[in-house]
Amino acid sequence: MSLLFRYLFLRHARLLFLTLALGGGMFLLTDMVERLDVLLDAGVGISLMLVYYAARLPGIIAQILPAVFLLASVILLCLMSHSRESTALQAGGVSPAAVTIILVWCGLFWGVVQFACSQYLAVQGEKLSSRIWQEQVRQNKSELRLLDNVWFSDHEWIVSAGELREDGQGRDLTAYRLSDDGLRFELVIRAPRFEVSGGTWTAFDVLRIKPEDYLSDHVEEMPVPLTQDVTLFFVSESEKPEQLSFWLLGDAIERLRDAGSNVEGLLTLWHAKLAYAASLMVMALVASAIVSWKENVYMAVAIAIVVTFVTYVLTLFGDTMGQRGLVPPQAGAWGTQVLLLCAALLRLHYAGLKR
């Protein structure tokens, strides 16, 4: 890791944290203005309000990070130009392309951070904040969805459940374990009640039957070696599938595709999660392209804000087109990033020719 890389990375990180604090603070302040009356009327304490907004913070950070990265990159490049650091670097043999490449590496690092934040912390935080809002603020008990007569296969098991609730509780479980050749049942499990917790299926008051030996016995409790995630059964009923994690959404796509369902909408969302994280590397090139055109920090920041707004509109349009099947899911999710990348590279090429 070169000295120049460490210098630019740390300086960029300071600007990014400052911009992130301002952007996140404005986002939270706007949300508080809209919801504060409701929170106070519900008699919610300060501690619970802090927990509620702390739970929402990872999602806010993940949402605004690409725009914050673009603004921080533009400000950094403008400050370097204003202080003649860019001129000094070029005199020392460091081309503007080298600085841009370092920013792209910074974009890769923060893209990984954004992806991890959005696919784990933001998902868990959204669940917690939604539960607080519904149960503590609105005083509504969460209504769990319920499915009847569920059938699925899981490796060597064929399973049916008379009733399955979203919280993992269920009734009337019957599981058949197939032999290696798939021609006969080696074991049959029947249980009037079962639950799924932490990915582990547990049956209660179990009747175990071995058809080949004509034997059966009862056990009070028995773990069943199933790997099926209960959440996947409710994906098609989910009002907000975009809030599913990247991996859970991928599993849902595979399950629904095997069942013959249309997965274009979910596949677009799956690609969009990757594209949004990768957009930080594209923003590094966009920032360099903007500053190569306008080095004035006020003009460059204004252009960056306009680019952010246009990017948001185009991304929303592409995602909608992909989810409705009007364009391939990949084109809908990645189209905006490809357009920005091409525009930035063309501008940087033109700027290089002028030099």
Side-chain angles (χ1 to χ4, degrees), residues 12 16 235 335 352:
H12 182 273
L16 185 140
V235 169

PDB file of all heavy atoms in Angstrom, residues 12 16 235 335 352:
ATOM      1  N   HIS A  12      -9.994  11.086   2.194  1.00  0.00           N
ATOM      2  CA  HIS A  12     -11.313  10.851   1.633  1.00  0.00           C
ATOM      3  C   HIS A  12     -12.266  10.323   2.708  1.00  0.00           C
ATOM      4  O   HIS A  12     -13.439  10.706   2.755  1.00  0.00           O
ATOM      5  CB  HIS A  12     -11.212   9.852   0.480  1.00  0.00           C
ATOM      6  CG  HIS A  12     -12.513   9.562  -0.199  1.00  0.00           C
ATOM      7  ND1 HIS A  12     -13.383   8.584   0.240  1.00  0.00           N
ATOM      8  CD2 HIS A  12     -13.111  10.128  -1.288  1.00  0.00           C
ATOM      9  CE1 HIS A  12     -14.443   8.553  -0.536  1.00  0.00           C
ATOM     10  NE2 HIS A  12     -14.310   9.470  -1.474  1.00  0.00           N
ATOM     11  N   LEU A  16     -15.785  11.756   3.853  1.00  0.00           N
ATOM     12  CA  LEU A  16     -16.959  10.898   3.719  1.00  0.00           C
ATOM     13  C   LEU A  16     -17.729  10.826   5.040  1.00  0.00           C
ATOM     14  O   LEU A  16     -18.966  10.918   5.048  1.00  0.00           O
ATOM     15  CB  LEU A  16     -16.526   9.501   3.276  1.00  0.00           C
ATOM     16  CG  LEU A  16     -17.663   8.510   2.969  1.00  0.00           C
ATOM     17  CD1 LEU A  16     -17.322   7.673   1.740  1.00  0.00           C
ATOM     18  CD2 LEU A  16     -17.905   7.575   4.144  1.00  0.00           C
ATOM     19  N   VAL A 235     -42.381 -15.454   1.009  1.00  0.00           N
ATOM     20  CA  VAL A 235     -41.794 -14.449   0.122  1.00  0.00           C
ATOM     21  C   VAL A 235     -42.812 -13.942  -0.871  1.00  0.00           C
ATOM     22  O   VAL A 235     -42.945 -12.737  -1.118  1.00  0.00           O
ATOM     23  CB  VAL A 235     -40.573 -15.028  -0.612  1.00  0.00           C
ATOM     24  CG1 VAL A 235     -40.134 -14.096  -1.733  1.00  0.00           C
ATOM     25  CG2 VAL A 235     -39.434 -15.228   0.364  1.00  0.00           C
ATOM     26  N   GLY A 335     -28.528  -1.122 -15.786  1.00  0.00           N
ATOM     27  CA  GLY A 335     -28.532  -0.172 -16.897  1.00  0.00           C
ATOM     28  C   GLY A 335     -28.052   1.210 -16.523  1.00  0.00           C
ATOM     29  O   GLY A 335     -27.233   1.824 -17.234  1.00  0.00           O
ATOM     30  N   GLY A 352      -8.453  13.745 -21.089  1.00  0.00           N
ATOM     31  CA  GLY A 352      -7.072  13.302 -21.302  1.00  0.00           C
ATOM     32  C   GLY A 352      -6.531  13.754 -22.640  1.00  0.00           C
ATOM     33  O   GLY A 352      -5.351  14.113 -22.754  1.00  0.00           O
TER      34      GLY A 352
END
